[in-house]
Amino acid sequence: MKLKKLTIGSTELPGNLLLAPMADVTNLAFRLLCRQYGADLTYTEMINADALINENRKALMKGLTDQEDWPFGVQLVGNSPESLREAALLVEEELRPVVIDVNMGCPAKCITRAGCGSALLKSPEIVHKIISGLVDSLETPVSAKVRILGREEESLEIARLIEDAGALALTVHGRTAEQMYSGSSDLGQIRAIKNEVSIPVIANGDIRDEESAEHALEFTGCDGLMVGRAAMGNPFIFWRIRHYLETGEKLEPDPRTRQFEDFEAYINLLEEYGILSSINLRMQAQWFTKGLHGSRHIREKINGLKDAKSIIELMKSSCRKEY
Ligand SMILES: Cc1cc2nc3c(=O)[nH]c(=O)nc-3n(C[C@H](O)[C@H](O)[C@H](O)COP(=O)(O)O)c2cc1C
């Protein structure tokens, strides 16, 4: 039994498998689906702190969470300790998440140019100010999600500083910002960080199946695992990893129908929570067809379709043809 309970602040989660925050992916419906399949904690897509306090508060909060959506974390992105504090207070009051996370890892130019995401890692004093400001003002536990830095000592310094500022958890993606998504996640640095601090450390990067999950947990000694890209179009991955960590046994390969069944369940949830119109359905359908026999052909066809029902029909008929 390798699945452990992860505790963040006063919340003890049933396990330690987390869904990564992912922009344009981890909307409420997708998070609920992953939760049904065993994700123990899910995060919202990153929310811009300045936008939240200045412009789009109502729009940004709409459809973000629901009673069924528990436990969840909210991730904020920003670079001003004051704006982040103000935004976090709003989030705490209106949404009551288990944890408020600060994005210190996003390498996208549009984010780093504004001094946010991974750009923060170059300014340790601001990192400290942001975290300690949040910790002093909030009742909700605060966490940070970082990437590693070029030299291990720099990564350890940032980790120590985040702990010292009062964060109650730290997620580490084992790539530098410069790497973006190239190369592989450096589990050695994640392990060094885990050994350096006393707060729970969550390992992230390249966890894509049962073996990589087991290896990451064993090698790093981390308190939790966070799955990102491997869950896109494949929320069932949480069930697989969970089952494996609990029993040591792997589930049978997925039936071919799983992807469209999951996609249909996803569409139903998007409709139920009124967020279907706000997502790029065709793009998401592409993820759910990954690995299906003839998926290239299916994807080409999806591009010509407009509504959810015809996409589901296409996926169903493509699966039927294989039997
Ligand atoms: C489409 C996409 C959107 C992402 N959006 C966010 C985000 O909003 N906040 C964040 O901290 N990381 C974001 N990430 C990074 C992931 O959370 C994760 O750290 C990264 O994908 C590495 O994990 P993986 O190898 O399991 O995918 C995003 C990644 C992808 C692929």
Side-chain angles (χ1 to χ4, degrees), residues 184-209:
S184 49
S185 183
D186 182 345
L187 293 181
Q189 271 222 34
I190 299 180
R191 176 169 65 179
I193 291 172
K194 164 64 193 160
N195 290 335
E196 186 72 12
V197 295
S198 310
I199 53 174
V201 176
I202 297 143
N204 172 236
D206 298 345
I207 291 157
R208 58 178 84 86
D209 53 22

PDB file of all heavy atoms in Angstrom, residues 184-209:
ATOM      1  N   SER A 184      13.422  15.853 -19.406  1.00  0.00           N
ATOM      2  CA  SER A 184      12.526  15.153 -18.481  1.00  0.00           C
ATOM      3  C   SER A 184      12.595  15.790 -17.098  1.00  0.00           C
ATOM      4  O   SER A 184      13.520  16.545 -16.790  1.00  0.00           O
ATOM      5  CB  SER A 184      12.887  13.668 -18.424  1.00  0.00           C
ATOM      6  OG  SER A 184      14.268  13.547 -18.231  1.00  0.00           O
ATOM      7  N   SER A 185      11.614  15.460 -16.301  1.00  0.00           N
ATOM      8  CA  SER A 185      11.516  16.046 -14.960  1.00  0.00           C
ATOM      9  C   SER A 185      12.622  15.455 -14.080  1.00  0.00           C
ATOM     10  O   SER A 185      12.805  14.242 -14.037  1.00  0.00           O
ATOM     11  CB  SER A 185      10.130  15.722 -14.396  1.00  0.00           C
ATOM     12  OG  SER A 185       9.953  16.322 -13.147  1.00  0.00           O
ATOM     13  N   ASP A 186      13.351  16.340 -13.397  1.00  0.00           N
ATOM     14  CA  ASP A 186      14.525  15.930 -12.618  1.00  0.00           C
ATOM     15  C   ASP A 186      14.093  15.490 -11.210  1.00  0.00           C
ATOM     16  O   ASP A 186      13.950  16.312 -10.299  1.00  0.00           O
ATOM     17  CB  ASP A 186      15.491  17.130 -12.560  1.00  0.00           C
ATOM     18  CG  ASP A 186      16.779  16.810 -11.816  1.00  0.00           C
ATOM     19  OD1 ASP A 186      16.828  15.789 -11.106  1.00  0.00           O
ATOM     20  OD2 ASP A 186      17.722  17.604 -11.940  1.00  0.00           O
ATOM     21  N   LEU A 187      13.918  14.193 -11.067  1.00  0.00           N
ATOM     22  CA  LEU A 187      13.450  13.682  -9.775  1.00  0.00           C
ATOM     23  C   LEU A 187      14.510  13.853  -8.691  1.00  0.00           C
ATOM     24  O   LEU A 187      14.199  13.945  -7.505  1.00  0.00           O
ATOM     25  CB  LEU A 187      13.058  12.206  -9.890  1.00  0.00           C
ATOM     26  CG  LEU A 187      11.834  11.884 -10.761  1.00  0.00           C
ATOM     27  CD1 LEU A 187      11.551  10.383 -10.750  1.00  0.00           C
ATOM     28  CD2 LEU A 187      10.594  12.651 -10.296  1.00  0.00           C
ATOM     29  N   GLY A 188      15.784  13.909  -9.115  1.00  0.00           N
ATOM     30  CA  GLY A 188      16.878  14.089  -8.147  1.00  0.00           C
ATOM     31  C   GLY A 188      16.741  15.419  -7.415  1.00  0.00           C
ATOM     32  O   GLY A 188      16.870  15.496  -6.190  1.00  0.00           O
ATOM     33  N   GLN A 189      16.443  16.475  -8.178  1.00  0.00           N
ATOM     34  CA  GLN A 189      16.270  17.787  -7.528  1.00  0.00           C
ATOM     35  C   GLN A 189      15.016  17.804  -6.663  1.00  0.00           C
ATOM     36  O   GLN A 189      14.991  18.419  -5.598  1.00  0.00           O
ATOM     37  CB  GLN A 189      16.171  18.898  -8.593  1.00  0.00           C
ATOM     38  CG  GLN A 189      17.506  19.462  -8.974  1.00  0.00           C
ATOM     39  CD  GLN A 189      17.459  20.993  -9.112  1.00  0.00           C
ATOM     40  OE1 GLN A 189      16.739  21.686  -8.401  1.00  0.00           O
ATOM     41  NE2 GLN A 189      18.238  21.507 -10.036  1.00  0.00           N
ATOM     42  N   ILE A 190      13.982  17.132  -7.132  1.00  0.00           N
ATOM     43  CA  ILE A 190      12.747  17.098  -6.314  1.00  0.00           C
ATOM     44  C   ILE A 190      13.052  16.380  -4.991  1.00  0.00           C
ATOM     45  O   ILE A 190      12.642  16.828  -3.918  1.00  0.00           O
ATOM     46  CB  ILE A 190      11.583  16.415  -7.076  1.00  0.00           C
ATOM     47  CG1 ILE A 190      11.259  17.185  -8.364  1.00  0.00           C
ATOM     48  CG2 ILE A 190      10.349  16.320  -6.184  1.00  0.00           C
ATOM     49  CD1 ILE A 190      10.128  16.599  -9.204  1.00  0.00           C
ATOM     50  N   ARG A 191      13.813  15.305  -5.079  1.00  0.00           N
ATOM     51  CA  ARG A 191      14.169  14.571  -3.851  1.00  0.00           C
ATOM     52  C   ARG A 191      14.996  15.453  -2.914  1.00  0.00           C
ATOM     53  O   ARG A 191      14.779  15.464  -1.692  1.00  0.00           O
ATOM     54  CB  ARG A 191      14.960  13.311  -4.216  1.00  0.00           C
ATOM     55  CG  ARG A 191      15.432  12.559  -2.978  1.00  0.00           C
ATOM     56  CD  ARG A 191      15.981  11.199  -3.298  1.00  0.00           C
ATOM     57  NE  ARG A 191      17.192  11.266  -4.099  1.00  0.00           N
ATOM     58  CZ  ARG A 191      17.886  10.206  -4.491  1.00  0.00           C
ATOM     59  NH1 ARG A 191      17.455   8.996  -4.175  1.00  0.00           N
ATOM     60  NH2 ARG A 191      18.968  10.326  -5.198  1.00  0.00           N
ATOM     61  N   ALA A 192      15.940  16.208  -3.492  1.00  0.00           N
ATOM     62  CA  ALA A 192      16.767  17.081  -2.651  1.00  0.00           C
ATOM     63  C   ALA A 192      15.897  18.119  -1.936  1.00  0.00           C
ATOM     64  O   ALA A 192      16.107  18.426  -0.764  1.00  0.00           O
ATOM     65  CB  ALA A 192      17.823  17.764  -3.525  1.00  0.00           C
ATOM     66  N   ILE A 193      14.896  18.631  -2.647  1.00  0.00           N
ATOM     67  CA  ILE A 193      13.998  19.623  -2.024  1.00  0.00           C
ATOM     68  C   ILE A 193      13.184  18.958  -0.911  1.00  0.00           C
ATOM     69  O   ILE A 193      13.022  19.504   0.181  1.00  0.00           O
ATOM     70  CB  ILE A 193      13.088  20.277  -3.091  1.00  0.00           C
ATOM     71  CG1 ILE A 193      13.942  21.155  -4.014  1.00  0.00           C
ATOM     72  CG2 ILE A 193      11.965  21.087  -2.437  1.00  0.00           C
ATOM     73  CD1 ILE A 193      13.218  21.698  -5.227  1.00  0.00           C
ATOM     74  N   LYS A 194      12.682  17.777  -1.207  1.00  0.00           N
ATOM     75  CA  LYS A 194      11.901  17.050  -0.185  1.00  0.00           C
ATOM     76  C   LYS A 194      12.745  16.853   1.081  1.00  0.00           C
ATOM     77  O   LYS A 194      12.253  17.001   2.205  1.00  0.00           O
ATOM     78  CB  LYS A 194      11.429  15.695  -0.772  1.00  0.00           C
ATOM     79  CG  LYS A 194      10.959  14.683   0.243  1.00  0.00           C
ATOM     80  CD  LYS A 194       9.710  15.130   0.994  1.00  0.00           C
ATOM     81  CE  LYS A 194       9.438  14.265   2.215  1.00  0.00           C
ATOM     82  NZ  LYS A 194       8.581  14.874   3.202  1.00  0.00           N
ATOM     83  N   ASN A 195      14.034  16.549   0.894  1.00  0.00           N
ATOM     84  CA  ASN A 195      14.889  16.319   2.063  1.00  0.00           C
ATOM     85  C   ASN A 195      15.263  17.608   2.782  1.00  0.00           C
ATOM     86  O   ASN A 195      15.710  17.589   3.919  1.00  0.00           O
ATOM     87  CB  ASN A 195      16.180  15.589   1.646  1.00  0.00           C
ATOM     88  CG  ASN A 195      15.873  14.161   1.236  1.00  0.00           C
ATOM     89  OD1 ASN A 195      14.874  13.590   1.678  1.00  0.00           O
ATOM     90  ND2 ASN A 195      16.695  13.582   0.376  1.00  0.00           N
ATOM     91  N   GLU A 196      15.071  18.726   2.094  1.00  0.00           N
ATOM     92  CA  GLU A 196      15.514  20.004   2.648  1.00  0.00           C
ATOM     93  C   GLU A 196      14.463  20.652   3.557  1.00  0.00           C
ATOM     94  O   GLU A 196      14.788  21.360   4.494  1.00  0.00           O
ATOM     95  CB  GLU A 196      15.836  20.955   1.473  1.00  0.00           C
ATOM     96  CG  GLU A 196      16.436  22.267   1.846  1.00  0.00           C
ATOM     97  CD  GLU A 196      17.894  22.118   2.322  1.00  0.00           C
ATOM     98  OE1 GLU A 196      18.482  21.037   2.148  1.00  0.00           O
ATOM     99  OE2 GLU A 196      18.408  23.098   2.876  1.00  0.00           O
ATOM    100  N   VAL A 197      13.185  20.445   3.231  1.00  0.00           N
ATOM    101  CA  VAL A 197      12.131  21.160   3.967  1.00  0.00           C
ATOM    102  C   VAL A 197      11.243  20.173   4.735  1.00  0.00           C
ATOM    103  O   VAL A 197      11.246  18.973   4.452  1.00  0.00           O
ATOM    104  CB  VAL A 197      11.259  22.025   3.008  1.00  0.00           C
ATOM    105  CG1 VAL A 197      12.071  23.131   2.370  1.00  0.00           C
ATOM    106  CG2 VAL A 197      10.575  21.163   1.943  1.00  0.00           C
ATOM    107  N   SER A 198      10.473  20.721   5.664  1.00  0.00           N
ATOM    108  CA  SER A 198       9.620  19.842   6.486  1.00  0.00           C
ATOM    109  C   SER A 198       8.160  19.870   6.040  1.00  0.00           C
ATOM    110  O   SER A 198       7.363  19.040   6.468  1.00  0.00           O
ATOM    111  CB  SER A 198       9.670  20.280   7.944  1.00  0.00           C
ATOM    112  OG  SER A 198      10.988  20.423   8.339  1.00  0.00           O
ATOM    113  N   ILE A 199       7.785  20.869   5.231  1.00  0.00           N
ATOM    114  CA  ILE A 199       6.391  20.922   4.764  1.00  0.00           C
ATOM    115  C   ILE A 199       6.187  19.838   3.699  1.00  0.00           C
ATOM    116  O   ILE A 199       7.164  19.379   3.083  1.00  0.00           O
ATOM    117  CB  ILE A 199       6.020  22.322   4.184  1.00  0.00           C
ATOM    118  CG1 ILE A 199       7.030  22.754   3.107  1.00  0.00           C
ATOM    119  CG2 ILE A 199       5.917  23.353   5.286  1.00  0.00           C
ATOM    120  CD1 ILE A 199       6.662  24.052   2.398  1.00  0.00           C
ATOM    121  N   PRO A 200       4.916  19.429   3.470  1.00  0.00           N
ATOM    122  CA  PRO A 200       4.680  18.427   2.428  1.00  0.00           C
ATOM    123  C   PRO A 200       5.166  18.917   1.067  1.00  0.00           C
ATOM    124  O   PRO A 200       4.945  20.068   0.698  1.00  0.00           O
ATOM    125  CB  PRO A 200       3.153  18.272   2.425  1.00  0.00           C
ATOM    126  CG  PRO A 200       2.696  18.778   3.743  1.00  0.00           C
ATOM    127  CD  PRO A 200       3.684  19.814   4.168  1.00  0.00           C
ATOM    128  N   VAL A 201       5.860  18.026   0.361  1.00  0.00           N
ATOM    129  CA  VAL A 201       6.329  18.346  -0.995  1.00  0.00           C
ATOM    130  C   VAL A 201       5.616  17.415  -1.981  1.00  0.00           C
ATOM    131  O   VAL A 201       5.522  16.201  -1.749  1.00  0.00           O
ATOM    132  CB  VAL A 201       7.860  18.201  -1.117  1.00  0.00           C
ATOM    133  CG1 VAL A 201       8.323  18.443  -2.546  1.00  0.00           C
ATOM    134  CG2 VAL A 201       8.557  19.172  -0.174  1.00  0.00           C
ATOM    135  N   ILE A 202       5.120  18.009  -3.038  1.00  0.00           N
ATOM    136  CA  ILE A 202       4.373  17.252  -4.050  1.00  0.00           C
ATOM    137  C   ILE A 202       5.201  17.220  -5.326  1.00  0.00           C
ATOM    138  O   ILE A 202       5.621  18.266  -5.827  1.00  0.00           O
ATOM    139  CB  ILE A 202       2.993  17.918  -4.290  1.00  0.00           C
ATOM    140  CG1 ILE A 202       2.184  17.858  -2.983  1.00  0.00           C
ATOM    141  CG2 ILE A 202       2.234  17.250  -5.431  1.00  0.00           C
ATOM    142  CD1 ILE A 202       1.341  19.062  -2.737  1.00  0.00           C
ATOM    143  N   ALA A 203       5.456  16.021  -5.804  1.00  0.00           N
ATOM    144  CA  ALA A 203       6.287  15.864  -7.008  1.00  0.00           C
ATOM    145  C   ALA A 203       5.430  15.994  -8.253  1.00  0.00           C
ATOM    146  O   ALA A 203       4.341  15.428  -8.338  1.00  0.00           O
ATOM    147  CB  ALA A 203       6.960  14.494  -6.988  1.00  0.00           C
ATOM    148  N   ASN A 204       5.943  16.728  -9.231  1.00  0.00           N
ATOM    149  CA  ASN A 204       5.208  16.944 -10.475  1.00  0.00           C
ATOM    150  C   ASN A 204       6.163  16.866 -11.659  1.00  0.00           C
ATOM    151  O   ASN A 204       7.314  17.259 -11.571  1.00  0.00           O
ATOM    152  CB  ASN A 204       4.527  18.327 -10.414  1.00  0.00           C
ATOM    153  CG  ASN A 204       3.902  18.740 -11.740  1.00  0.00           C
ATOM    154  OD1 ASN A 204       4.216  19.793 -12.272  1.00  0.00           O
ATOM    155  ND2 ASN A 204       3.023  17.913 -12.277  1.00  0.00           N
ATOM    156  N   GLY A 205       5.601  16.330 -12.750  1.00  0.00           N
ATOM    157  CA  GLY A 205       6.348  16.265 -14.004  1.00  0.00           C
ATOM    158  C   GLY A 205       6.510  14.836 -14.487  1.00  0.00           C
ATOM    159  O   GLY A 205       7.115  13.993 -13.813  1.00  0.00           O
ATOM    160  N   ASP A 206       5.892  14.573 -15.647  1.00  0.00           N
ATOM    161  CA  ASP A 206       6.068  13.283 -16.345  1.00  0.00           C
ATOM    162  C   ASP A 206       5.467  12.084 -15.628  1.00  0.00           C
ATOM    163  O   ASP A 206       5.894  10.955 -15.874  1.00  0.00           O
ATOM    164  CB  ASP A 206       7.557  12.998 -16.608  1.00  0.00           C
ATOM    165  CG  ASP A 206       8.200  14.046 -17.504  1.00  0.00           C
ATOM    166  OD1 ASP A 206       7.438  14.816 -18.134  1.00  0.00           O
ATOM    167  OD2 ASP A 206       9.435  14.110 -17.560  1.00  0.00           O
ATOM    168  N   ILE A 207       4.504  12.299 -14.756  1.00  0.00           N
ATOM    169  CA  ILE A 207       3.837  11.133 -14.167  1.00  0.00           C
ATOM    170  C   ILE A 207       2.723  10.754 -15.130  1.00  0.00           C
ATOM    171  O   ILE A 207       1.766  11.508 -15.315  1.00  0.00           O
ATOM    172  CB  ILE A 207       3.344  11.452 -12.747  1.00  0.00           C
ATOM    173  CG1 ILE A 207       4.569  11.613 -11.862  1.00  0.00           C
ATOM    174  CG2 ILE A 207       2.432  10.333 -12.210  1.00  0.00           C
ATOM    175  CD1 ILE A 207       4.369  12.410 -10.655  1.00  0.00           C
ATOM    176  N   ARG A 208       2.917   9.649 -15.801  1.00  0.00           N
ATOM    177  CA  ARG A 208       2.012   9.348 -16.900  1.00  0.00           C
ATOM    178  C   ARG A 208       1.356   7.973 -16.803  1.00  0.00           C
ATOM    179  O   ARG A 208       0.476   7.650 -17.570  1.00  0.00           O
ATOM    180  CB  ARG A 208       2.738   9.465 -18.247  1.00  0.00           C
ATOM    181  CG  ARG A 208       3.951   8.564 -18.394  1.00  0.00           C
ATOM    182  CD  ARG A 208       4.577   8.719 -19.761  1.00  0.00           C
ATOM    183  NE  ARG A 208       5.470   9.851 -19.802  1.00  0.00           N
ATOM    184  CZ  ARG A 208       6.759   9.798 -19.446  1.00  0.00           C
ATOM    185  NH1 ARG A 208       7.277   8.672 -19.021  1.00  0.00           N
ATOM    186  NH2 ARG A 208       7.518  10.863 -19.499  1.00  0.00           N
ATOM    187  N   ASP A 209       1.802   7.170 -15.838  1.00  0.00           N
ATOM    188  CA  ASP A 209       1.204   5.835 -15.688  1.00  0.00           C
ATOM    189  C   ASP A 209       1.550   5.279 -14.300  1.00  0.00           C
ATOM    190  O   ASP A 209       2.160   5.980 -13.473  1.00  0.00           O
ATOM    191  CB  ASP A 209       1.694   4.886 -16.791  1.00  0.00           C
ATOM    192  CG  ASP A 209       3.216   4.859 -16.862  1.00  0.00           C
ATOM    193  OD1 ASP A 209       3.867   5.202 -15.861  1.00  0.00           O
ATOM    194  OD2 ASP A 209       3.759   4.507 -17.933  1.00  0.00           O
TER     195      ASP A 209
END
